[in-house]
Structure formats: structure tokens, C-alpha cells
Amino acid sequence: MSYIEIRNIFKIFGPDPKSALELAKGGADKDEILAKTGHTVGLHDVSLSIEQGETFVVMGLSGSGKSTLIRHLNRLIDPTAGSISFGGEDILAMDIPALNAFRRQRLGMVFQRFGLLPHRNVMDNVAYGLEIQGTARKDREAAASKWIARVGLAGYETKFPDQLSGGMQQRVGLARALATDPEVLLMDEAFSALDPLIRSDMQDELMKLQAELHKTIVFITHDLDEALKIGDRIAILKDGKLVQVGRPEEIVLKPADDYVQAFTRDVNRSKVLRAQSIMTPSRSEAKPLDNVSFTVDVDTRLEAILPQLITTGDRSIIAVIDRNECIVGHIHRNHILQALSN
Ligand SMILES: Nc1ncnc2c1ncn2[C@@H]1O[C@H](COP(=O)(O)OP(=O)(O)OP(=O)(O)O)[C@@H](O)[C@H]1O
Ligand SMILES: [Mg+2]
């Protein structure tokens, strides 16, 4: 079983959700239910399994149900039908004290508008979660200092949020979320309010932190490039329904329908595709290749292979090796051109 299990969640907004639920279960879609009952379908039969330690991205157009989904994970809202568990524990069965403890101890949240407390300085914002948990001042300030330094803000401890740029405020938001050492980070459009360059820095920062911390991260975005860059897996929502869940390569190479295809059209494929996803696998009885120009690791992205291709001949073959340096496949120059031009 995966760490977070979401099973057959329906969320219907309106005065009598149960009445519209029957229609939804009968297969009526969001527009039809709105027309017939005046109810809005937020989520329609969504089931997801999220692994411990993975960065799981949820994406979709505005109104597709992304925020509704993440709000179920901290139980800001409850589903009309369905079940949700964390580590085997049914979070919908928690009473108020258990729910408060769950939110404080096991979840960290990072918001689009940073959500910092304006009258508290950086130190006191980052230490806030620990303060709520009753941690002594000395200990919480030591922990907060560590995280402030970790997100690159050492020296800013006594500044107030309005003295910081948006990017810096979101670093504080990230440090605050991490300070309580939560199991799960919930990030709803956390970088969407930032300038493109700052946003890209924050994505890199998050990936660096994640490589060390291995948190379970549920990250919401409407930007496919961001999803492909940071996501181990990506779920795509449309009108409250899940249309595809897959690794970045799967989304780009095998979009489930026209909606996903439309998202992927402008993607820079060289940043997403890796050697493994386009190689021809070797058969164990195959003869060694004699015209290999160079070797690459299975995880190498095409953007890193391209510069080397320039210096090799038309018929050159790239051998793909695994962690044990065994050749597991090969790529012809043409494979790369095809993959990029598709
Ligand atoms: N509290 C609510 N009451 C009524 N309808 C709601 C409520 N919250 C969300 N909805 C509806 O549910 C659907 C999904 O909304 P949601 O906010 O989850 O979308 P989203 O994917 O997060 O969009 P955005 O990218 O704009 O943030 C929308 O049709 C929205 O109108
Ligand atoms: Mg939203």
C-alpha cells in the first residue's frame, strides 16, 4: 500500500450534494450536473496512490479541481464520498484533537501568497509551528536558524515579511513548513506568484532539499514545465476527473488524450526525455556494438546528450549504461532527432 491512498473521492459543492452524487456516479459529467441540479463537481471519482518520499505533482487548468484535491489532504474540506488514508490511517475518521495533531505534526503547508504572519519577523515566522507544538524558545530558535540558513536567508532573521522580496518570502514559507519536520509537504501553486527566474531558482532549491530530505510532497501547479521539472509523477485533472497519472516522460510521450496533448505541445522535450525512454533495449545475446561513439547513463536527459552529438558522425551510436556500467541499450542519432521533433 502506498503512503497516501485516495480512493474514489467525489466532491460536490451545493446545498444537496448527495442528490447530485447519484448522477455523478451514474456517469453524468460536470456540465450536465450543473445544468440539471445547480451543483458543482469539484472532484469526480478520483483515486490516487502517492508513495512515501515522492514529489507528486497535480496539474490541470483553472477550475479542474487541484485545490479541492489538496484541501482534502489536510481536511479543510471533506469529500461527498470516498476514503483517504495516510500511512494506513483513515484521516476522515479523525476527531478534532486528532486532526489538529495530524496537521501540526505531520503536514507542512506552503501557500501561493506565502501566508506569512506580517507582524512577526523571519525567525518568529519560521519558528511558529514549533511554538504551537510547545517547543521551548531556545530549541525552536535553534531549529528555525538552521532552516533559515538552509533556504539561504541567514542574516535576515530579524527582518519582517514586508522587508523581503516575493522570492525571499517564499523561502521563509518553505523554511517554516520544514521546521516542524513534517512527513508531507502540501504546496498549492507555491511558486506561481514569483518572477520566472526566481521561480526557477525556487524549483531548483526545492529539488535540492528534496534530494536530501525525501519528504512526501504534493505540489500543485498549472504549469506543465514546472510539473515536468520537479515531479517524480504527475497527475492531470480535467473537470474534476483524473485523465492521466504518469512519470514526466510518459506524459510527454504518451499523452492520454487531446487535453493532455494540448498541454505537452510546447514542452521542451530535451529537458524531459531521458536516454532510457528513447533507447532500443539490448538483448542479452546481442553482439557488442562496434561503432559506439560515447556512452551515457540511463537517466541522462537529451539536453545533455545534444552537445556531444555535434562532434560525432551521422552513423554514430550511443551506448546506454546502467548504474553497474552494463550496457542496457543503444540510441541512434536519428532516434534523438525523432524524439525531439515529434
Ligand atoms: N467552496 C466552493 N464552493 C463551490 N464551488 C467550489 C468551491 N471550491 C471549489 N469549487 C468549484 O470546484 C471546482 C474546482 O475548483 P478548484 O479551486 O479546486 O480548482 P483549481 O484547479 O484549484 O483552479 P485554480 O487553478 O484556478 O486554482 C471549480 O468548478 C470551482 O468553482
Ligand atoms: Mg487552485
Side-chain angles (χ1 to χ4, degrees):
M1 198 166 71
S2 301
Y3 181 62
I4 301 177
E5 290 282 357
I6 299 168
R7 285 283 153 263
N8 307 107
I9 291 288
F10 287 83
K11 178 63 183 179
I12 292 165
F13 295 102
D16 184 15
K18 294 279 177 200
S19 65
L21 179 64
E22 292 316 309
L23 271 177
K25 285 188 169 170
D29 68 14
K30 179 166 174 154
D31 290 342
E32 190 180 341
I33 289 168
L34 183 65
K36 281 192 176 148
T37 70
H39 287 71
T40 303
V41 176
L43 292 174
H44 189 131
D45 203 9
V46 170
S47 295
L48 283 174
S49 301
I50 299 174
E51 305 297 333
Q52 190 148 32
E54 84 171 321
T55 304
F56 191 89
V57 177
V58 180
M59 72 156 278
L61 296 178
S62 184
S64 58
K66 305 180 296 295
S67 295
T68 302
L69 178 62
I70 215 165
R71 285 180 193 135
H72 278 87
L73 300 182
N74 56 13
R75 279 198 58 197
L76 274 181
I77 53 179
D78 282 340
T80 310
S83 65
I84 306 170
S85 66
F86 277 56
E89 191 180 352
D90 176 1
I91 69 161
L92 300 177
M94 288 175 179
D95 59 14
I96 300 288
L99 182 59
N100 284 336
F102 166 72
R103 286 182 182 146
R104 274 181 210 157
Q105 288 159 17
R106 295 171 63 188
L107 300 182
M109 252 111 54
V110 188
F111 308 96
Q112 177 171 3
R113 287 271 147 217
F114 321 135
L116 304 179
L117 297 165
H119 55 283
R120 286 177 160 243
N121 65 24
V122 167
M123 171 66 85
D124 291 343
N125 263 288
V126 174
Y128 183 69
L130 292 167
E131 188 179 330
I132 298 283
Q133 285 182 12
T135 308
R137 174 178 287 273
K138 203 165 123 280
D139 296 335
R140 66 179 190 251
E141 292 192 345
S145 295
K146 184 188 98 178
W147 285 109
I148 291 167
R150 191 63 192 74
V151 299
L153 288 180
Y156 288 89
E157 289 80 357
T158 59
K159 299 281 184 238
F160 286 84
D162 65 1
Q163 297 174 304
L164 304 177
S165 70
M168 293 162 91
Q169 289 185 56
Q170 196 55 301
R171 285 173 189 269
V172 177
L174 195 54
R176 178 184 55 184
L178 289 167
T180 55
D181 192 23
E183 291 164 19
V184 178
L185 271 187
L186 302 178
M187 306 180 70
D188 189 354
E189 301 271 7
F191 302 150
S192 302
L194 305 174
D195 291 343
L197 282 179
I198 304 293
R199 182 172 186 168
S200 177
D201 284 349
M202 288 302 288
Q203 293 162 352
D204 294 339
E205 186 77 44
L206 181 68
M207 291 168 72
K208 233 165 59 192
L209 282 165
Q210 174 65 340
E212 283 170 34
L213 302 173
H214 308 292
K215 297 287 178 193
T216 304
I217 301 179
V218 182
F219 187 103
I220 293 203
T221 181
H222 57 261
D223 176 8
L224 185 63
D225 287 314
E226 182 166 77
L228 294 169
K229 178 171 168 184
I230 69 170
D232 292 316
R233 286 191 303 147
I234 300 167
I236 299 183
L237 283 172
K238 182 191 179 205
D239 295 342
K241 290 185 188 165
L242 211 51
V243 286
Q244 188 167 8
V245 183
R247 288 179 298 105
E249 285 101 321
E250 290 170 331
I251 302 286
V252 171
L253 290 175
K254 296 190 191 110
D257 64 7
D258 293 347
Y259 178 75
V260 183
Q261 171 107 50
F263 272 116
T264 61
R265 212 165 15 228
D266 298 327
V267 160
N268 180 345
R269 299 164 73 94
S270 75
K271 285 187 186 298
V272 180
L273 302 180
R274 297 165 196 261
Q276 182 155 38
S277 55
I278 64 161
M279 72 182 191
T280 307
S282 305
R283 282 169 296 144
S284 50
E285 72 277 15
K287 284 187 297 186
L289 301 163
D290 50 12
N291 47 344
V292 169
S293 342
F294 57 95
T295 61
V296 296
D297 184 87
V298 283
D299 285 327
T300 313
R301 293 184 200 265
L302 299 195
E303 68 176 345
I305 300 178
L306 289 173
Q308 300 188 71
L309 262 196
I310 295 169
T311 58
T312 58
D314 283 354
R315 292 174 176 281
S316 63
I317 289 179
I318 302 160
V320 183
I321 54 172
D322 66 8
R323 267 194 216 122
N324 305 317
E325 308 218 337
C326 294
I327 294 183
V328 290
H330 65 273
I331 305 173
H332 286 276
R333 195 186 169 96
N334 278 347
H335 288 156
I336 294 185
L337 296 178
Q338 266 163 19
L340 292 179
S341 61
N342 200 335

